[in-house]
Amino acid sequence: MPTQFTGWDEFRKQPLESKLKTFEKNSQLFDLIFARQLTRTGCEALFLLAEKIRAIAKTKDGLDWLGSTHSDRRAMLFFTQPSTRTFLSFLNACQILGIQSSEIRDRNTSSEVKGESPEDTIRTFSSYVDLIIMRSSEEGYAEKSAWLLNQTKRPIPVINGGSGKDEHPTQALLDLYTIQRAFRKGNRPGIDGKTVVFVGDLKRGRTVRSLAWLLGNYSGLNVVFAAPEPFQIRADIQEHLKSSGVSFSLTDEFKEILPSADVIYMTRIQDEYDVTGESTRVDFSKYHFEERDLALLKQDAVLMHPFPRRREIDVACDQDPRAAYWKQERNGMWIRCALIAQILGRAPLILAHE
Ligand code: NCD
């Protein structure tokens, strides 16, 4: 397939740290592709902005005003991998900010079926819109799209809404925001010093990978990765936590840690990525949170799940005040409003609202 853009293979091979500048503009976040682009200060600024947006959105006047802040902007939601929450929360975030959006959710409805290259498809979007939000089962596609657009005369930001088994930076952001909010009151505020337990398919769960990466920005944490051995967290995340001074351990049991856990992050088996039926060889029922497990939890613990859920958390737990997954979804919409406003340069306008 002919391509107008050369240099991708060389760029792709460079160490990630040296590439990050490519995704910034005037030292500000431009494309959000990797969790590691989010610093602690950057996340905290987004949390504050999200709180401001929530406060403004409480009245009709406020919501009408928010809808005027980006009414000159358009977004493309290019989601070629199934999605309910991420798609809806980005779409609704766009609507709150007054951004008009278009969407493609199935490659078979785009001209790629006529043989158009993915590069031409992405570049086409930039002829119409000011922002691309994308999800793909292909690792590296969001990165490539952003890299490619940054070389054109009309570079527009790309936000990664999930790239294969690799990264889901905006989910990590909303998860962190949920933890920070859950502990904003009480005598143990903040994320520092907490015990965070990840449970499930940690090898292929991109939400776990991105959130665990961001935990490297915090101190005094105790992180526990509970998974069957073939689905344990990969070495790159372990190395990052080691070099960030975060203490962590690996186990195949999670129930015994529950009494000391502050955050329990349950995940499903990512069997869509199976190559030889590997998930069918593991008994995952051991990694289910049952109603009786609530009795083991601290009073202020936070039970999370990025969803979709199968049987990882018994629905009987849903009414417990520590079940945070529904709040997690709603937090996702507000923090995505904040992220979009930040990337499109309108954060100061919103922060200045009386
Ligand atoms: C997750 C995803 O797509 O990675 N869902 C989400 O975005 N909230 C988790 C999953 O699919 O298991």
Side-chain angles (χ1 to χ4, degrees), residues 85-86 135 168 171 206-207 268 270 306-308:
R85 269 149 295 275
T86 308
R135 163 173 287 198
H168 197 343
Q171 177 74 38
R206 56 193 176 193
T207 71
R268 72 176 172 92
Q270 306 280 311
F307 274 21

Side-chain angles (χ1 to χ4, degrees), residues 339-352:
L339 176 70
I340 293 171
Q342 163 74 39
I343 285 181
L344 295 180
R346 305 271 161 94
L349 172 72
I350 294 175
L351 288 170

Side-chain angles (χ1 to χ4, degrees), residues 254-270:
F254 84 100
K255 305 243 167 156
E256 60 198 33
I257 325 152
L258 289 180
S260 60
D262 297 303
V263 177
I264 305 95
Y265 193 98
M266 304 298 298
T267 65
R268 72 176 172 92
I269 181 90
Q270 306 280 311

